[in-house]
C-alpha cells in the first residue's frame, strides 16, 4: 500500500482519523539544529514516526497528483531562496530551514524519481555530456527568466504604486515630486569642490548659495548619495541651512526639501525637523500648489507630519474654490497617505467627486478610492454607487491596481453593487496570474466581505496560489483562509491549496506576536471548513498569546471564544491549550448580554417565539436563546417526544420565573376535576382555559395562549399534552410547576434547533450558507440537535400574513415526520 508523507499538513478531520504529532511546534528559538533537520527533511523524517504524520491512502489507485512535482520542488527551493535574498522584497523574513540545501536536494531527488524515463532515444555515449550541458544551460536560463518575471510581478512598492495617477496629467508636475524625472548628473569633482568650499567658509555663504549647493549635490550619481549623507562636510552644510532657515525664500526652501528627497535623508534627520517647523509657519504665505508639493515631499521622505497636515486641511478648506481636478485628486491622495480623515471636509469631498467623476481618468478614480479607504473616510452610498456605476462600464479598460483600489472602498462601505460584481467575474479570473499576491488577496477579501460568491474568481485564486504562496505575508495567508472559509468554498485543488497556506502560516509564525489578529483570522477560516491545525491552535489558546491579543487594536475575545469552543466540540481528542474557564464565562456573558439587546428582540424572532409558545402550549415548550453562544446567533429550542408530542423543558425561563398579576381565573368544577384526575375526556384544557378566562383578558394573552380555532386547524388538538396545563396563582405567589406535571422521566425524543435565518447568513443573492453558520449547524448536529430552518425567503413574507397562516407554517416545520426519523 502506498504511503505519503505529509510535511506539516493537517488534513480535514472529518475525512481522516484525527491525529496529532508528538513533536510539538517550538515557538521559542531554542530548538536544536538536529531536531529541525529531522522535522524539515522528509527523507530523514521517515525513520522517526514521531516527527511527521504518515497517512496511508485507503485507495491509492484513485489518488492523483494535481501539481507538477518538479515545479513544486523549484518553488520550495530556488524560488524561495532567491526571493529571500531580494532586499526590496516583503519576503525578507521568509522562513528558511536550518538545512535548506538538504531540503532542496530532497525535493529535487524526489522530483527526478517522479519523472518518467525517456524512451525510443538511441544511445549516443559521446554526445551525452554535451547534450546534458546544453539542456541544463537552457533550463537554467529559462528558470532564471521565469523566476525574474515572477519576482517582478510580485513586487509591490507601497510608496510608488499609489502615485501612478500622477503620470496621467501634466498638472501634477507642479503638485508632486517625480523621482523619475531625468536630471543632469553632477561630476564627482564638482561635488568635492562644493564640500571643500563648505568646509572653508564654515557657514558664511548666503542663503541662495546654500540652496544652490543642495540642488547641485542632489544631482550626484545615486550610488554616491549614501556616502554624501554621512560625510561630515555635508552635515556642516545642513547646520548652515538650519541656522539660515528663516532667510530662505519659499522656493529655495522647497528646493532644499526636494534635494533631501532625492538624497533619501532619513525621516528623523535634524534638517527635516527644522524644515517642518518652518513650513508650518509659512503655510499661509504659500500658494496651493506649493502647499500640496511640500506635503508630497513629506510623503516621499516617509515622514509623519500631523501638524503640517492639519494646517494643510484648514488651508484647503479656506481655499476650496481654487481646487482644480488635479489639485483635488492630489489632496485626496495626501489625505490617504497621511491616514487622516478631516471630518469637516467630508461633504466637500463628496460634492467634488460628483463634480469631477466623469472627467477623472480611471487611474484617478482608483487613487481617490484608495485615499478614502486609507483614511477611513466616510462616503455616502449615493457617491459610492456613482463611482461603481462608472467603473462597471469601463472595467476592462481599468488597470488591475486601480480596480483593486475601488474594491477596497467598496468593501469598506459594504456596497452590494451587483453590476460591478458581475463584471468583476468576467475580467478578474483571466487577470489573476498577472496580479501580485496582495492584489489577489484584496480581490478574495472583497468577495468574502460582501458575501459575494463567484466560483470563477475563487477557483482562479485557488489555482494560482500554491506556487506563489511564499510571497504571502501573514496577513495575506490569513485573509485567504478567511475568505475561502467565510464563503464555505473548497476549490478543486483544496488539499494543495489549504496545505500550502497552512505551511505559510508556520513560516510566518514569528509575525503573530506582533499581529495576533492574523493568526486568529486564519484559524477561524480553517475552522469554518473543518480544518484544525493542532499546533497553531495550541499556541493561539495559550495564556501568553491571549495576553498579546489584549494589546491588539482589534477586539479578539469573541474570535478566541469561537475557536476554543469549536475545537472543544469538533476535536474531542485535542489535548492542547484551552481558554481559561473564567475568560470563557466572561465572554459568554458579554455575548449573551448583546443578544438580549440586539438579537432576541428582532421582530422575526419575537414573532416566531410567540407563535410557537401559542401553538405548543406555553413558554415551557420553547426557549429563545443561544445554544452555542460562540456562534453569535440565536436558536429557538423545542423538544419532541418520539410520538410527536412536545415536551416541556424550559422551566427556568425568565418569563416563567416572574410573579404574575392576578388575572381572576375562576376555579370551575371542570377545572378542579382536571387538576385532580387529569384531562377531561370530552373537553380539551384549552377549551376549559378559554371558558375560565374572562373575556377582558383574551386579547391581552393572545400572544401566549392559542386560539381554539388555531388548534382546530392544526390537526384537531393532537398537539395538546397534559403538561400544558398550568395553574396561574394569585398575586404574591411564585409560579411553580405542579409536581404532578413535571416530567421526571422524559421519553426519548428529538431536540430541535430552529434557525430564524436572515440575509446575512447567506451569500449575496443566493441560498449558499456562509461559513460561520455552516459551522454552527454542523456543531449543533454533533451535539444531537436536529436543525430546522425558517429561511428568510419563506418566513419574512409570512410575517405580513394572517396568524393562522403563520401557525400552519410553523406546525409544518416543527411536526415534520422526517425530523423524528433523524433522532
Amino acid at each position: 500500500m502506498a504511503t505519503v508523507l505529509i510535511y506539516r499538513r493537517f488534513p480535514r478531520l472529518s475525512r481522516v482519523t484525527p491525529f496529532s504529532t508528538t513533536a510539538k511546534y517550538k515557538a521559542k528559538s531554542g530548538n536544536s539544529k538536529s531536531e529541525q533537520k529531522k522535522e524539515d527533511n522528509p527523507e530523514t523524517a521517515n525513520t522517526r514516526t514521531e516527527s511527521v504524520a504518515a497517512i496511508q491512502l485507503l485507495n491509492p489507485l484513485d489518488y492523483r497528483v494535481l501539481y507538477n512535482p518538479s515545479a513544486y520542488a523549484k518553488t520550495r527551493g530556488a524560488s524561495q531562496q532567491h526571493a529571500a535574498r531580494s532586499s526590496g522584497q516583503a519576503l525578507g523574513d521568509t522562513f528558511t530551514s536550518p538545512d535548506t540545501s538538504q531540503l532542496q536536494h530532497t525535493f529535487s531527488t524526489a522530483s527526478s524519481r517522479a519523472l518518467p524515463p525517456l524512451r525510443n532515444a538511441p544511445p549516443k555515449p559521446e554526445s551525452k555530456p554535451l547534450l546534458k550541458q546544453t539542456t541544463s544551460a537552457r533550463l537554467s536560463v529559462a528558470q532564471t527568466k521565469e523566476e525574474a518575471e515572477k519576482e517582478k510581478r510580485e513586487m509591490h512598492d507601497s510608496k510608488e504604486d499609489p502615485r501612478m495617477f500622477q503620470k496621467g496629467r501634466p498638472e501634477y508636475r507642479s503638485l508632486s515630486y517625480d523621482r523619475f524625472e531625468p536630471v543632469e548628473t553632477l561630476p564627482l569633482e564638482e561635488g568635492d569642490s562644493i564640500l571643500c568650499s563648505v568646509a572653508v567658509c564654515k557657514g558664511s555663504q548666503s542663503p541662495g548659495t546654500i540652496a544652490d549647493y543642495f540642488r547641485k549635490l542632489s544631482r550626484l550619481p545615486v550610488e554616491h548619495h549614501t556616502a554624501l549623507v554621512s560625510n561630515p562636510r555635508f552635515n556642516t552644510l545642513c547646520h548652515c541651512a538650519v541656522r539660515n532657515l528663516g532667510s530662505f525664500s519659499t522656493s529655495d526652501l522647497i528646493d532644499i526639501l526636494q534635494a533631501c528627497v532625492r538624497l533619501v535623508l532619513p525621516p528623523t534627520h535634524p534638517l527635516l525637523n527644522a524644515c517642518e517647523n518652518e513650513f508650518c509657519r509659512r503655510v499661509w504665505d504659500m500658494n496651493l500648489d506649493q502647499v500640496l508639493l511640500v506635503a508630497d515631499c513629506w510623503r516621499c521622505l516617509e515622514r509623519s507630519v500631523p501638524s503640517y497636515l492639519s494646517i494643510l486641511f484648514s488651508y484647503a478648506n479656506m481655499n476650496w474654490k481654487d481646487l482644480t481636478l488635479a489639485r483635488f485628486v492630489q489632496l485626496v491622495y495626501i489625505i490617504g497617505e497621511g491616514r487622516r480623515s478631516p471630518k469637516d471636509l467630508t461633504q466637500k469631498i463628496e460634492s467634488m467627486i460628483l463634480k469631477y467623476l466623469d472627467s477623472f481618468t480611471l487611474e484617478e478614480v482608483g487613487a481617490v478610492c484608495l485615499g478614502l479607504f486609507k483614511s477611513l473616510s466616510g462616503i455616502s452610498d449615493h457617491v459610492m454607487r456613482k463611482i461603481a456605476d462608472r467603473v462597471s462600464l469601463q472595467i476592462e479598460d481599468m488597470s488591475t491596481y486601480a480596480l483593486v483600489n475601488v474594491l477596497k472602498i467598496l468593501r469598506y462601505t459594504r456596497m452590494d453593487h451587483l453590476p460591478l460584481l458581475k463584471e468583476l467575474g468576467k475580467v478578474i479570473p483571466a487577470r489573476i496570474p498577472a496580479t501580485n499576491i496582495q492584489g489577489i488577496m484584496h480581490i478574495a477579501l472583497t468577495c468574502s466581505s460582501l458575501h459575494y460568491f463567484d466560483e470563477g474568481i475563487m477557483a482562479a485564486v485557488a489555482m494560482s496560489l500554491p506556487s506563489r504562496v511564499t510571497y504571502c505575508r501573514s496577513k495575506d495567508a490569513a485573509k485567504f483562509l478567511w475568505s475561502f472559509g467565510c464563503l464555505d468554498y473548497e476549490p478543486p485543488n483544496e488539499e494543495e491549496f489549504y496545505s500550502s497556506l497552512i505551511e505559510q502560516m508556520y513560516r510566518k509564525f514569528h509575525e503573530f506576536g506582533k499581529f495576533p489578529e492574523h493568526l486568529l483570522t486564519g484559524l477561524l477560516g480553517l475552522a469554518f471548513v473543518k480544518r484544525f491545525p493542532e499546533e497553531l491552535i495550541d499556541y493561539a489558546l495559550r495564556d501568553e498569546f491571549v495576553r498579546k491579543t489584549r494589546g491588539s487594536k482589534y477586539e479578539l475575545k469573541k474570535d478566541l471564544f469561537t475557536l476554543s469552543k469549536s475545537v472543544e466540540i469538533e476535536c474531542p481528542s485535542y489535548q492542547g491549550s484551552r481558554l481559561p474557564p473564567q475568560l470563557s464565562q466572561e465572554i459568554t456573558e458579554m455575548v449573551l448580554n448583546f443578544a438580549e439587546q440586539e438579537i432576541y428582540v428582532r421582530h422575526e424572532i419575537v414573532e416566531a417565539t410567540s407563535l410557537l409558545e401559542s401553538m405548543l402550549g406555553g413558554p415551557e415548550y420553547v426557549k429563545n436563546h443561544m445554544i452555542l453562544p460562540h456562534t453569535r446567533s440565536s436558536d429557538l429550542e423545542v423538544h419532541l417526544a418520539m410520538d410527536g408530542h412536545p415536551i416541556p423543558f424550559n422551566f427556568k425561563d425568565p418569563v416563567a420565573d416572574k410573579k404574575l398579576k392576578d388575572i381572576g381565573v375562576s376555579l370551575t368544577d371542570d377545572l378542579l376535576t382536571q387538576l385532580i384526575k387529569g384531562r377531561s375526556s370530552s373537553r380539551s384544557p384549552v377549551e376549559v382555559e378559554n371558558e375560565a378566562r374572562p373575556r377582558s383578558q383574551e386579547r391581552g394573552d393572545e400572544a401566549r395562549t392559542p386560539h381554539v380555532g388555531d388548534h382546530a386547524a392544526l390537526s384537531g388538538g393532537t398537539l395538546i399534552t397534559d403538561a400544558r396545563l398550568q395553574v396561574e396563582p394569585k398575586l404574591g405567589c411564585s409560579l411553580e410547576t405542579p409536581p404532578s406535571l413535571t416530567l421526571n422521566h422524559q421519553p426519548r425524543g428529538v431536540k430541535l434547533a430552529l434557525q430564524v435565518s436572515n440575509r446575512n447568513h447567506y451569500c449575496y443573492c443566493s441560498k449558499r450558507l456562509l461559513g460561520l453558520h455552516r459551522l454552527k449547524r454542523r456543531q449543533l448536529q454533533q451535539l444531537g440537535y436536529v436543525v430546522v430552518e425558517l429561511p428568510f425567503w419563506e418566513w419574512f413574507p409570512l410575517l405580513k400574513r394572517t396568524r393562522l397562516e403563520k401557525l400552519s407554517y410553523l406546525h409544518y416545520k416543527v411536526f415534520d415526520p422526517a425530523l423524528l426519523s433523524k433522532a
Side-chain angles (χ1 to χ4, degrees):
M1 177 174 287
T3 301
V4 175
L5 292 176
I6 306 297
Y7 173 72
R8 276 202 190 282
R9 295 186 183 180
F10 291 80
R12 177 186 293 219
L13 295 181
S14 62
R15 297 187 177 179
V16 296
T17 304
F19 68 93
S20 68
T21 59
T22 55
K24 294 289 183 184
Y25 180 83
K26 307 289 185 186
K28 299 179 182 178
S29 59
N31 292 349
S32 68
K33 186 173 181 180
S34 61
E35 289 175 343
Q36 189 70 31
K37 274 187 182 179
K38 293 171 185 175
E39 188 174 4
D40 289 341
N41 189 345
E43 289 190 353
T44 305
N46 64 7
T47 62
R48 294 288 302 274
T49 56
E50 68 273 20
S51 297
V52 68
I55 301 178
Q56 290 187 334
L57 299 176
L58 300 180
N59 190 0
L61 294 178
D62 291 337
Y63 181 74
R64 291 182 299 147
V65 178
L66 298 178
Y67 55 92
N68 185 339
S70 59
Y72 184 69
K74 177 179 64 179
T75 301
R76 289 293 303 268
S79 172
Q80 187 172 322
Q81 290 179 4
H82 183 62
R85 287 196 298 266
S86 176
S87 60
Q89 198 69 10
L91 209 59
D93 53 359
T94 299
F95 168 86
T96 53
S97 120
D99 195 353
T100 311
S101 60
Q102 185 177 359
L103 180 64
Q104 183 181 356
H105 172 72
T106 300
F107 279 107
S108 300
T109 304
S111 302
S112 63
R113 292 197 199 111
L115 294 174
L118 292 174
R119 300 187 183 278
N120 304 324
K124 293 183 180 179
E126 45 285 304
S127 66
K128 270 187 178 178
L130 179 60
L131 178 62
K132 186 175 182 180
Q133 266 186 341
T134 306
T135 304
S136 298
R138 287 177 180 173
L139 287 174
S140 178
V141 171
Q143 180 176 343
T144 303
K145 186 176 181 181
E146 181 185 346
E147 294 299 328
E149 287 295 323
K150 183 183 288 188
E151 292 256 343
K152 184 178 179 181
R153 180 180 61 225
E154 297 299 339
M155 288 289 286
H156 172 64
D157 191 336
S158 61
K159 191 165 70 172
E160 282 301 322
D161 289 349
R163 303 167 64 84
M164 294 301 294
F165 72 94
Q166 294 171 348
K167 303 186 185 307
R169 295 181 191 272
E171 294 94 323
Y172 290 112
R173 293 174 186 169
S174 62
L175 306 174
S176 60
Y177 173 84
D178 184 3
R179 71 184 182 96
F180 298 106
E181 183 181 1
V183 294
E184 184 182 352
T185 304
L186 186 77
L188 293 177
E189 296 79 11
E190 189 171 346
D192 288 336
S193 174
I194 291 173
L195 292 175
C196 289
S197 176
V198 169
V200 171
C201 297
K202 295 182 179 179
S204 60
Q205 298 94 338
S206 66
T209 302
I210 294 173
D212 191 52
Y213 284 170
F214 273 99
R215 281 189 287 264
K216 290 181 177 179
L217 289 173
S218 68
R219 289 163 36 211
L220 284 170
V222 174
E223 58 270 20
H224 294 278
H225 286 180
T226 303
L228 173 67
V229 171
S230 60
N231 191 308
R233 291 178 292 181
F234 179 76
N235 288 332
T236 302
L237 180 63
C238 292
H239 288 304
C240 293
V242 171
R243 286 198 300 270
N244 292 276
L245 215 55
S247 302
F248 288 112
S249 67
T250 299
S251 59
D252 282 345
L253 194 59
I254 291 175
D255 285 348
I256 291 175
L257 185 63
Q258 289 184 302
C260 293
V261 175
R262 194 172 290 117
L263 293 171
V264 196
L265 258 64
T268 56
H269 196 281
L271 175 58
L272 298 181
N273 296 338
C275 283
E276 181 186 351
N277 293 332
E278 184 64 20
F279 277 119
C280 286
R281 189 181 66 82
R282 292 194 190 196
V283 166
W284 296 102
D285 298 322
M286 296 160 60
N287 63 48
L288 190 52
D289 286 11
Q290 290 176 325
V291 174
L292 290 171
L293 175 58
V294 169
D296 195 68
C297 289
W298 291 131
R299 171 57 190 145
C300 293
L301 287 163
E302 297 185 328
R303 179 180 171 91
S304 176
V305 286
S307 298
Y308 182 84
L309 291 181
S310 294
I311 300 172
L312 165 61
F313 299 150
S314 298
Y315 185 101
N317 200 13
M318 294 286 291
N319 298 274
W320 196 260
K321 64 181 185 301
D322 297 327
L323 281 181
T324 61
L325 184 152
R327 287 171 176 169
F328 170 71
V329 177
Q330 181 68 16
L331 174 63
V332 176
Y333 162 75
I334 294 298
I335 289 173
E337 297 305 303
R339 304 307 199 272
R340 303 277 311 274
S341 178
K343 300 299 182 184
D344 55 335
L345 295 182
T346 300
Q347 286 188 345
K348 290 185 176 182
I349 288 174
E350 289 197 1
S351 64
M352 199 67 82
I353 290 174
L354 294 176
K355 176 182 177 181
Y356 289 127
L357 183 57
D358 292 335
S359 302
F360 287 148
T361 66
L362 292 173
E363 289 299 318
E364 286 171 333
V365 172
V368 168
C369 289
L370 182 62
L372 295 174
F373 175 76
K374 283 187 173 182
S375 62
L376 300 181
S377 298
I379 181 173
S380 66
D381 287 352
H382 173 66
V383 175
M384 187 66 248
R385 194 165 295 280
K386 289 289 186 181
I387 293 174
D389 288 341
R390 163 98 195 267
V391 172
S392 62
L393 296 175
Q394 297 180 281
I395 192 169
E396 292 183 357
D397 301 323
M398 200 170 200
S399 72
T400 304
Y401 182 79
L403 180 56
V404 167
N405 291 338
V406 174
L407 295 181
K408 288 178 181 178
I409 191 65
L410 195 73
R411 179 178 88 221
Y412 177 72
T413 56
R414 310 290 295 178
M415 172 63 69
D416 52 346
H417 193 280
L418 196 56
L420 175 56
L421 294 174
K422 286 184 175 180
E423 289 299 316
L424 204 65
K426 295 177 183 177
V427 303
I428 282 297
R431 294 191 187 188
I432 291 294
T435 306
N436 67 6
I437 282 293
Q438 292 185 37
I440 297 174
M441 180 273 289
H442 281 294
I443 292 169
L445 185 59
T446 297
C447 290
S448 66
S449 296
L450 298 179
H451 298 170
Y452 182 73
F453 177 70
D454 185 299
E455 188 167 10
I457 294 176
M458 302 306 289
V461 170
M463 298 305 292
S464 176
L465 193 65
S467 64
R468 303 157 63 182
V469 74
T470 52
Y471 293 97
C472 286
R473 304 165 297 173
S474 60
K475 176 181 179 179
D476 300 324
K479 298 296 186 183
F480 278 124
L481 291 172
W482 170 265
S483 298
F484 278 74
C486 177
L487 296 175
D488 193 40
Y489 177 62
E490 297 193 342
N493 63 334
E494 59 175 302
E495 293 304 331
E496 182 190 8
F497 173 80
Y498 280 111
S499 60
S500 66
L501 281 171
I502 292 173
E503 285 181 22
Q504 186 66 2
M505 295 282 280
Y506 277 104
R507 293 190 195 100
K508 295 298 181 181
F509 188 86
H510 59 281
E511 295 183 11
F512 296 137
K514 186 176 181 182
F515 304 107
E517 62 272 11
H518 296 338
L519 178 58
L520 292 178
T521 296
L523 290 178
L524 283 178
L526 287 167
F528 291 161
V529 292
K530 207 173 182 181
R531 293 173 186 266
F532 298 92
E534 184 175 312
E535 292 168 351
L536 289 176
I537 292 171
D538 174 60
Y539 176 75
L541 297 179
R542 290 180 191 172
D543 291 342
E544 177 188 359
F545 184 82
V546 172
R547 283 194 296 271
K548 288 179 180 178
T549 63
R550 293 171 186 156
S552 172
K553 61 181 179 179
Y554 302 99
E555 173 53 67
L556 300 177
K557 285 183 180 179
K558 288 187 284 189
D559 290 345
L560 282 168
F561 187 49
T562 301
L563 177 65
S564 177
K565 290 299 181 182
S566 294
V567 171
E568 185 179 314
I569 294 171
E570 301 204 52
C571 306
S573 61
Y574 172 74
Q575 299 295 321
S577 304
R578 298 182 184 274
L579 279 187
Q582 183 178 355
L583 180 59
S584 292
Q585 182 61 31
E586 174 190 332
I587 302 172
T588 301
E589 292 176 0
M590 178 178 68
V591 171
L592 293 179
N593 288 336
F594 172 80
E596 288 178 359
Q597 298 174 18
E598 300 292 337
I599 299 178
Y600 300 157
V601 295
R602 291 175 182 167
H603 174 60
E604 65 272 16
I605 295 177
V606 171
E607 182 77 356
T609 305
S610 173
L611 289 167
L612 284 170
E613 290 176 355
S614 176
M615 183 178 79
L616 299 177
E620 67 272 22
Y621 291 90
V622 185
K623 188 171 184 180
N624 177 14
H625 68 134
M626 287 184 173
I627 299 175
L628 302 177
H630 64 278
T631 60
R632 311 171 200 176
S633 56
S634 68
D635 314 89
L636 299 179
E637 185 172 355
V638 172
H639 294 185
L640 298 179
M642 291 307 295
D643 60 1
H645 283 69
I647 302 173
F649 67 98
N650 187 27
F651 299 113
K652 294 184 179 180
D653 187 87
V655 175
D657 288 341
K658 291 181 180 178
K659 295 178 180 179
L660 300 181
K661 295 180 180 179
D662 181 6
I663 60 173
V665 176
S666 302
L667 290 179
T668 64
D669 292 339
D670 286 339
L671 183 58
L672 285 172
T673 302
Q674 285 192 69
L675 289 174
I676 297 170
K677 298 182 178 180
R679 179 186 299 179
S680 169
S681 58
S682 60
R683 302 170 68 193
S684 75
V686 177
E687 293 170 347
V688 176
E689 184 181 354
N690 287 341
E691 180 182 283
R693 182 192 294 112
R695 291 186 180 275
S696 61
Q697 296 296 328
E698 287 182 4
R699 186 175 300 275
D701 290 343
E702 186 180 38
R704 195 177 63 83
T705 307
H707 292 286
V708 177
D710 295 338
H711 288 283
L714 302 180
S715 69
T718 57
L719 311 185
I720 310 303
T721 65
D722 291 333
R724 285 187 54 190
L725 187 61
Q726 288 190 5
V727 178
E728 298 179 353
K730 298 289 184 181
L731 184 62
C733 301
S734 61
L735 181 66
E736 296 179 355
T737 304
S740 61
L741 302 183
T742 303
L743 297 180
N744 296 323
H745 303 286
Q746 291 189 359
R748 191 170 72 89
V750 57
K751 295 186 293 183
L752 304 183
L754 278 74
Q755 312 289 298
V756 183
S757 65
N758 60 57
R759 288 173 177 80
N760 289 333
H761 295 179
Y762 288 86
C763 291
Y764 181 64
C765 289
S766 79
K767 296 180 181 179
R768 183 188 187 89
L769 205 60
L770 293 172
L772 176 62
H773 302 284
R774 181 76 66 189
L775 170 143
K776 174 185 175 177
R777 298 188 185 191
R778 185 175 71 229
Q779 292 179 3
L780 284 171
Q781 290 169 352
Q782 285 188 252
L783 294 176
Y785 285 88
V786 174
V787 177
V788 178
E789 182 180 9
L790 309 183
F792 69 89
W793 57 86
E794 294 176 358
W795 181 238
F796 280 41
L798 273 174
L799 294 176
K800 301 176 182 179
R801 306 300 291 271
T802 66
R803 174 185 175 87
L804 190 58
E805 286 176 295
K806 288 181 278 192
L807 284 168
S808 297
Y809 175 79
L810 291 174
H811 181 269
Y812 163 76
K813 284 288 186 178
V814 171
F815 295 100
D816 182 357
L819 299 180
L820 296 176
S821 65
K822 296 180 182 180

